[in-house]
Amino acid sequence: MEEQHFFVTLDRIAGESGLTVAFTPKDLKEIKIYATEVYRPGIFLAGYYQYFDHLRIQIIGLTEFSYLNELDETSRRTHLEKLFSFQPPAVVLTRGLTPLPEMLEFARKYGVALLLSNEMTSPLMGSMITTLNTELAPRITRHGVLVEVYGEGILITGDSGVGKSETAIELVKRGHRLIADDAVELRRVSSKRIMGSSPENIRHFIELRGIGIINVARLFGIGAVKNSVEVESVIELEPWDRTKNYDRTGLESQTTDILGVQVPNMVIPVMPGRNLAVIIETAAMNNRAKEMGYNAAKELLRQLGLQNDVL
């Protein structure tokens, strides 16, 4: 399968980080960012040009700016022209610094956006990296429903018609929130975190067989929806199979792989009379208790004197 290359436009980064434009060769919406990291080119401006990643946004803070001011004009022009000649997507000056005349000259010459920020350098870099990691994260789309129950993101999966959307509506009526129905976009924002959201064109909509399409935000209020949430567990709904042995103790922790991250997973059988919304609420609270170090099944076995059998 061919590797996908995601990008975010510079106007999104500028908007998120409060950047202003000193110069841009074209609309910021037309400038694409592909790298998740930013770079402070101090060693580059000192004359070491190896291993320079021209795809990264370049951040010039007070240290780099002061160093440039201490150089003679010839050396300063040489290093700045070299920097801009690599045509990074943008060069950002922090702390309200005023661009040097050479910066504006070479930005125009090589068509590089020159942006300004009043923020301190380190907080700005942290904010930009967070945005880039989210926007450029590896992603997949899964069929299912994503809800937030007691603050925990739960991805409900299962065959079409098993009752995922109906369960989600019941959860919404009980005060929980819908993130996505039918198509759930999952992004790996770190080595241990998966964020889930809805494609923008179907956000807040849900399909109920026999009723049709409804807008959850309009019917239940804006507090019934949320744009994204961390996926902390996966619940698979399946029709009850009397020949299958379902987990009855919760001692064995099952996981499912999502983009290389292991997410807790459980299978819940569906049959008439089972209140799936209440079961999922209980599963969410129990998963949170396990995260906090409490396991009810292990406590019961200890009380029965059987703890050695499960160690």
Side-chain angles (χ1 to χ4, degrees):
M1 182 180 294
E2 185 178 349
E3 182 181 358
Q4 288 184 286
H5 296 283
F6 302 108
F7 67 86
V8 59
T9 55
L10 187 55
D11 73 305
R12 178 65 182 273
I13 302 299
E16 290 283 340
S17 301
L19 307 179
T20 57
V21 177
F23 169 79
T24 181
K26 52 188 173 183
D27 195 301
L28 296 185
K29 294 180 180 179
E30 300 177 28
I31 301 175
K32 299 176 180 178
I33 313 295
Y34 293 93
T36 57
E37 298 291 337
V38 298
Y39 184 68
R40 294 186 71 171
I43 194 169
F44 185 95
L45 295 173
Y48 186 78
Y49 304 139
Q50 298 297 318
Y51 310 112
F52 178 77
D53 188 353
H54 70 280
L55 295 178
R56 297 184 183 184
I57 295 174
Q58 306 298 306
I59 308 292
I60 295 180
L62 183 60
T63 302
E64 295 83 4
F65 197 83
S66 299
Y67 169 74
L68 287 169
N69 275 322
E70 291 179 3
L71 294 176
D72 61 80
E73 182 179 353
T74 301
S75 297
R76 183 168 60 247
R77 289 183 61 86
T78 298
H79 296 317
L80 279 174
E81 182 165 17
K82 189 73 172 179
L83 174 64
F84 282 90
S85 70
F86 275 94
Q87 295 182 308
V91 174
V92 180
L93 271 67
T94 65
R95 302 173 66 108
L97 297 170
T98 301
L100 297 171
E102 297 95 329
M103 291 179 178
L104 289 167
E105 175 188 345
F106 296 133
R108 293 188 177 96
K109 180 177 179 180
Y110 293 102
V112 176
L114 184 60
L115 307 179
L116 309 176
S117 172
N118 290 321
E119 288 280 344
M120 302 284 282
T121 307
S122 294
L124 176 66
M125 291 178 66
S127 171
M128 292 177 71
I129 290 172
T130 298
T131 301
L132 288 167
N133 279 331
T134 301
E135 295 295 332
L136 301 178
R139 70 199 70 175
I140 57 173
T141 300
R142 287 272 182 91
H143 175 67
V145 174
L146 183 59
V147 290
E148 184 189 66
V149 179
Y150 296 127
E152 180 151 330
I154 298 179
L155 175 62
I156 305 173
T157 64
D159 293 338
S160 181
V162 78
K164 299 185 296 297
S165 297
E166 291 79 1
T167 302
I169 284 295
E170 177 65 21
L171 287 167
V172 167
K173 287 197 66 178
R174 295 173 69 89
H176 307 293
R177 294 195 280 188
L178 173 75
I179 288 83
D181 177 62
D182 191 39
V184 182
E185 189 175 82
L186 302 169
R187 303 185 186 202
R188 190 187 70 213
V189 297
S190 75
S191 61
K192 296 182 179 180
R193 296 180 66 227
I194 297 291
M195 294 297 294
S197 61
S198 171
E200 191 170 350
N201 57 352
I202 61 172
R203 185 169 296 158
H204 303 164
F205 290 95
I206 194 168
E207 176 192 353
L208 295 174
R209 284 175 173 80
I211 296 178
I213 305 296
I214 66 170
N215 187 317
V216 172
R218 292 292 183 90
L219 286 185
F220 297 96
I222 200 66
V225 296
K226 190 177 182 181
N227 287 344
S228 65
V229 72
E230 181 179 353
V231 179
E232 296 178 78
S233 61
V234 177
I235 292 180
E236 180 181 352
L237 303 181
E238 68 171 34
W240 185 288
D241 183 354
R242 296 188 180 275
T243 65
K244 184 174 180 180
N245 291 322
Y246 293 101
D247 186 6
R248 300 182 65 176
T249 63
L251 286 171
E252 296 182 4
S253 298
Q254 303 294 327
T255 62
T256 186
D257 184 285
I258 301 178
L259 294 169
V261 178
Q262 298 302 314
V263 180
N265 174 76
M266 64 192 75
V267 177
I268 294 181
V270 176
M271 66 181 302
R274 300 199 88 195
N275 190 324
L276 293 177
V278 172
I279 293 173
I280 289 175
E281 283 181 332
T282 305
M285 289 186 287
N286 191 49
N287 191 53
R288 175 153 292 183
K290 288 181 178 179
E291 291 173 352
M292 298 173 68
Y294 174 76
N295 188 307
K298 290 183 178 180
E299 181 184 13
L300 176 61
L301 289 174
R302 279 195 297 270
Q303 291 182 6
L304 296 174
L306 302 173
Q307 64 268 32
N308 291 333
D309 296 339
V310 297
L311 293 180

